[in-house]
């Protein structure tokens, strides 16, 4: 895997680069958000590690800009901000995972390896339709009565898992596996955050399709009505 590390702390970069290289990753670096975004858009990286607090362009704005330009490279965001609200904001900006400083280098490596194991979507059966929405899983786009929006990679994976089982109860375990694979380090609340994001996306395209919560069990995609 080839990694882009965007971190303005020179001392931390000096520590992380040899750690990543020893683990078998190729590693490019950038010290500010603007140059990091340029590298991310110009090169086919397998993953990016992005500090949240960056000069020139914040990590949040960097990820938002990359996603707006169609970049689907998995992003692991590093930050000293560990509140639930901060994690939700980072994931909402388009990050795929979130790691709070200080962290164990072994966890960083494990999370990057897990990002690399996530299966890529194929073109076969990529267009899914249910009720008044359609999802192009290959293009990461959701279309409804009011228009089309682009989804993040995780939003896309979550909605695809629900659409393929529309009308059925889908357990939390199945959804975790569909979005994050067999990762050991994903926090339980991340799934609830992404359910919130996908519901918001459905509203954005004017859909009446609802994601019903089955307490303690999972979620069910249903035609019409409002989700609780």
């Amino acid at each position: 895997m080839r990694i882009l590390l965007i971190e303005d702390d020179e001392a931390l970069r000096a520590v992380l680069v040899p750690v990543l290289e020893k683990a078998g990753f190729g590693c490019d670096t950038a010290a500010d958000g603007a140059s990091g975004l340029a590298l991310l858009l110009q090169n086919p990286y397998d993953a990016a590690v992005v500090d949240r607090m960056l000069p020139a362009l914040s990590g949040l704005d960097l990820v938002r800009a990359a996603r707006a330009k169609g970049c689907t490279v998995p992003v692991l965001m590093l930050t000293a901000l560990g509140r639930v609200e901060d994690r939700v904001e980072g994931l909402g900006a388009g990050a795929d995972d979130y790691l709070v400083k200080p962290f164990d280098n072994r966890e960083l490596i494990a999370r990057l390896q897990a990002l690399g194991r996530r299966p890529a979507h194929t073109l076969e059966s990529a267009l899914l339709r249910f009720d008044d929405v359609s999802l192009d899983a290959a293009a990461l786009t959701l279309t409804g009565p009011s228009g089309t929006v682009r989804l993040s990679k995780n939003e896309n994976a979550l909605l695809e898992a629900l659409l393929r089982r529309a009308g059925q109860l889908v357990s939390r375990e199945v959804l975790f596996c569909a979005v994050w694979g067999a990762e050991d380090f994903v926090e339980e609340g991340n799934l609830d955050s992404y359910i919130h994001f996908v519901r918001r996306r459905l509203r954005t395209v004017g859909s009446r399709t609802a994601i019903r919560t089955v307490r303690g069990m999972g979620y069910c995609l249903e035609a019409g009505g409002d989700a609780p």
Side-chain angles (χ1 to χ4, degrees):
M1 291 178 64
R2 185 150 197 86
I3 305 298
L4 174 61
L5 172 62
I6 309 175
E7 169 62 62
D8 65 321
D9 187 328
E10 184 177 356
L12 184 55
R13 288 200 312 274
V15 169
L16 289 182
V17 169
V19 167
L20 291 169
E21 291 178 342
K22 184 177 181 181
F25 298 108
C27 187
D28 292 341
T29 65
D32 64 79
S35 59
L37 177 61
L39 285 172
L40 186 59
L41 296 176
Q42 293 168 8
N43 299 280
Y45 292 106
D46 297 296
V49 179
V50 180
D51 184 32
R52 179 165 172 154
M53 305 295 221
L54 291 168
L57 186 70
S58 75
L60 290 177
D61 288 337
L62 185 158
V63 176
R64 290 191 187 103
R67 298 304 187 222
K69 291 182 178 294
C71 176
T72 59
V73 173
V75 172
L76 171 61
M77 184 165 286
L78 300 180
T79 181
L81 304 176
R83 298 178 308 163
V84 172
E85 294 84 354
D86 298 318
R87 292 196 296 271
V88 168
E89 188 176 19
L91 295 169
D96 297 272
D97 201 357
Y98 202 92
L99 186 58
V100 177
K101 299 176 181 178
F103 53 84
D104 190 304
N105 290 338
R106 293 170 297 178
E107 183 175 357
L108 173 64
I109 296 301
R111 288 185 182 233
L112 287 173
Q113 290 171 337
L115 285 177
R117 289 196 301 268
R118 293 186 188 177
H121 293 292
T122 62
L123 293 177
E124 183 180 1
S125 302
L127 187 61
L128 302 171
R129 294 187 176 90
F130 177 72
D131 195 19
D132 57 359
V133 295
S134 63
L135 173 71
D136 187 333
L140 282 75
T141 54
L142 173 67
T143 301
S146 299
T148 299
V149 296
R150 186 173 181 83
L151 306 179
S152 72
K153 183 177 178 180
N154 283 359
E155 290 170 340
N156 187 73
L158 176 57
L159 186 53
E160 180 180 0
L162 290 168
L163 281 167
R164 290 191 184 280
R165 302 166 180 83
Q168 305 173 29
L169 171 63
V170 188
S171 70
R172 293 179 65 87
E173 291 76 13
V174 167
L175 293 174
F176 262 105
C177 186
V179 179
W180 291 283
E183 297 182 26
D184 296 325
F185 298 104
V186 177
E187 296 186 10
E188 183 76 14
N190 283 7
L191 177 59
D192 303 305
S193 296
Y194 274 100
I195 289 290
H196 170 75
F197 298 151
V198 171
R199 283 173 171 158
R200 187 172 60 190
R201 296 294 195 183
L202 289 168
R203 290 195 297 270
T204 297
V205 299
S207 175
R208 63 182 184 177
T209 305
I211 302 175
R212 180 168 63 89
T213 302
V214 182
R215 301 296 178 188
M217 298 180 68
Y219 298 92
C220 180
L221 192 69
E222 298 180 339
D226 296 317

